[in-house]
Amino acid sequence: MMFQYSVPYVLSLMLILISSTSSFSTAPAFFSSSASSTSAFSSSSGNDAPEVVDPAALEKARKTMTMFTNKYLERTQTYLASDPSVARSVVEGLALHKATLGKPLCPCRFYPNNDKEKAAKEGYWNCPCVPMREEKKCHCMLFLTEDSQFRGDKRTFEWTEDEEDEDGDDFEVEF
């Protein structure tokens, strides 16, 4: 059986799986009809029931992380990935953590025991993470050096609603 998924869809699913707890017996809050379409969820407390994030707090965090991303791209002379959905997914994950944890914790990592609060307090994986600050190595692919094969030409990020997969690339997944 063959399924096609767009790049943003697959990256969003990856963020959801990374951010969710190990219990998949119930649907996360963002799937319920009572959750706002602009809300996200957080399970940073380690409990099985995700909390719905205040849409206004998430929007404020998106703006903050967009400004941060653009300033850091300029300061470090780095580039965004050639696929715009990469930056969008990472900035969304950073904004979610900023809104729920108060810190832009890296959304691309797995945290032992899902203890994101502890990781945010430690600071090693808060964006820009230590590997990025010390070695210019961003494993999220948000900040790419000129010699990266994945870098695009853009050095600014713009948040747009309902962003589509512009080039029509789809992942094909076989089950």
Side-chain angles (χ1 to χ4, degrees):
M1 184 182 312
M2 184 74 80
F3 295 98
Q4 284 192 340
Y5 297 102
S6 68
V7 172
Y9 178 77
V10 171
L11 290 172
S12 296
L13 285 176
M14 290 170 57
L15 281 172
I16 291 167
L17 289 174
I18 290 168
S19 298
S20 65
T21 63
S22 61
S23 173
F24 291 102
S25 59
T26 59
F30 62 84
F31 285 129
S32 76
S33 58
S34 62
S36 165
S37 63
T38 58
S39 68
F41 72 97
S42 165
S43 56
S44 60
S45 62
N47 61 17
D48 287 344
E51 307 161 17
V52 175
V53 177
D54 176 32
L58 185 58
E59 185 59 32
K60 179 180 177 186
R62 282 180 183 144
K63 288 178 182 175
T64 300
M65 295 317 304
T66 297
M67 286 190 301
F68 161 77
T69 298
N70 288 325
K71 286 180 183 177
Y72 201 76
L73 284 163
E74 182 181 342
R75 190 176 77 161
T76 58
Q77 295 299 297
T78 51
Y79 298 83
L80 295 171
S82 57
D83 181 349
S85 66
V86 172
R88 181 182 168 90
S89 295
V90 175
V91 171
E92 175 73 4
L94 290 169
L96 177 62
H97 286 157
K98 180 87 172 143
T100 58
L101 301 169
K103 304 279 184 184
L105 184 65
C106 176
C108 302
R109 298 206 41 87
F110 171 77
Y111 299 97
N113 300 321
N114 205 26
D115 197 349
K116 294 177 185 178
E117 290 175 353
K118 179 181 177 190
K121 287 177 186 171
E122 290 172 352
Y124 188 89
W125 293 112
N126 290 342
C127 189
C129 64
V130 172
M132 180 61 204
R133 291 190 307 253
E134 293 180 357
E135 304 170 34
K136 280 197 171 179
K137 292 184 179 178
C138 178
H139 66 275
C140 292
M141 295 177 46
L142 182 58
F143 305 112
L144 298 172
T145 58
E146 189 162 350
D147 61 341
S148 172
Q149 65 182 1
F150 302 107
R151 81 159 177 91
D153 296 327
K154 287 188 168 187
R155 283 192 162 159
T156 57
F157 173 76
E158 295 177 37
W159 186 269
T160 56
E161 292 299 320
D162 300 324
E163 192 170 279
E164 296 292 326
D165 185 17
E166 296 169 4
D167 59 3
D169 286 347
D170 288 333
F171 285 113
E172 292 187 2
V173 181
E174 232 178 279
F175 290 100

